[in-house]
Amino acid sequence: MHKDFFAHIIRHKPELFRSMLAFNGFAAARQAEAPASLHRIPGLDVEALWANGRARRRLADRDTSDGRGPFWDFAEESRRLALLPPELLSRAVLQFGTALHADELSRLIAREDVLAARQEISPELFAYALQRARFQTGSLPRFFDDGRGSLAGRIRLHGHQALALCCSVWPRELLDICAARFGGLAQTFSAIGTAEVIDTIQDEASPVETRRAVWFGFKKILLKEVAPQWAPCFD
């Protein structure tokens, strides 16, 4: 992490800095009530102590509920996915998988197949697939093995594989934090590496090129379709 990273984001990307503070428990510490343990100390003016910002920061438990320590190195852009609320990241995974299979979804003809797809991925995502999704992934579907299984299963599988590829170069410390933070995506963050993900790739591009292409596609769908309000936190 470059030594000027914090100075830059505090001045030019305050939303990112606030998200990093919240990720590390600082925002919660400012808003929370004083710990009950302080009220048990005879003669202590807890309200006055807690109103003092410096004292509050020293006394507040800055660790999260899973007992982890802080993590601050978000200079590499894809790591900022870890700052997202769990429901938004899960939605992005499913939306990206849907976009990868938009052409296949648009070719469904049988009424029962259409109804099943709408139920499995949601009517909103099915409508998205029929409208603009196919124009947002370009040639990215070629990276993912058609494989076997149901269409809905492959949508979810390839969405998770895309996320795994995006974070395959993250430090293990951050992966472990995300495995605890994003319960529904824990398996995606556990024991992953570029080599394992690349096994599913059906293209001759290098691992670096493949990851870069998938990351930019994932980010585009995240910020255009899922969470445009988070755009200030990304480059």
Side-chain angles (χ1 to χ4, degrees), residues 203-220:
D203 193 85
E204 295 182 358
S206 72
V208 173
E209 292 171 339
T210 299
R211 180 189 176 275
R212 184 174 183 273
V214 171
W215 159 239
F216 281 125
F218 192 93
K219 181 177 74 166
K220 179 171 71 174

Side-chain angles (χ1 to χ4, degrees), residues 75-233:
E76 197 280 310
E77 189 186 17
S78 73
R79 297 182 188 183
R80 300 171 198 175
L81 292 176
L83 303 174
L84 294 169
E87 65 275 9
L88 287 186
L89 186 56
S90 295
R91 173 68 183 226
V93 167
L94 183 58
Q95 188 124 5
F96 186 79
T98 298
L100 289 174
H101 291 275
D103 283 340
E104 192 172 352
L105 286 164
S106 68
R107 292 196 298 268
L108 295 178
I109 298 176
R111 183 174 183 274
E112 59 271 23
D113 293 339
V114 172
L115 292 177
R118 284 169 55 88
Q119 182 177 5
E120 289 170 338
I121 66 172
S122 82
E124 294 79 13
L125 282 181
F126 187 80
Y128 162 71
L130 299 185
Q131 295 166 4
R132 58 192 180 279
R134 73 187 74 180
F135 306 111
Q136 293 181 326
T137 55
S139 60
L140 290 178
R142 79 179 191 271
F143 291 133
F144 298 86
D145 183 8
D146 287 341
R148 298 179 180 179
S150 69
L151 176 55
R154 283 181 281 123
I155 286 172
R156 290 184 172 84
L157 172 64
H158 292 158
H160 281 262
Q161 287 177 341
L163 176 61
L165 187 59
C166 289
C167 62
S168 60
V169 295
W170 291 7
R172 173 50 56 185
E173 179 185 3
L174 183 57
L175 290 172
D176 290 343
I177 291 172
C178 289
R181 175 176 166 82
F182 300 97
L185 299 170
Q187 187 174 0
T188 304
F189 291 108
S190 300
I192 64 171
T194 303
E196 289 84 352
V197 180
I198 292 298
D199 283 344
T200 67
I201 300 304
Q202 301 298 300
D203 193 85
E204 295 182 358
S206 72
V208 173
E209 292 171 339
T210 299
R211 180 189 176 275
R212 184 174 183 273
V214 171
W215 159 239
F216 281 125
F218 192 93
K219 181 177 74 166
K220 179 171 71 174
I221 288 177
L222 168 70
L223 300 181
K224 284 184 175 293
E225 302 290 341
V226 180
Q229 70 275 20
W230 277 80
C233 291

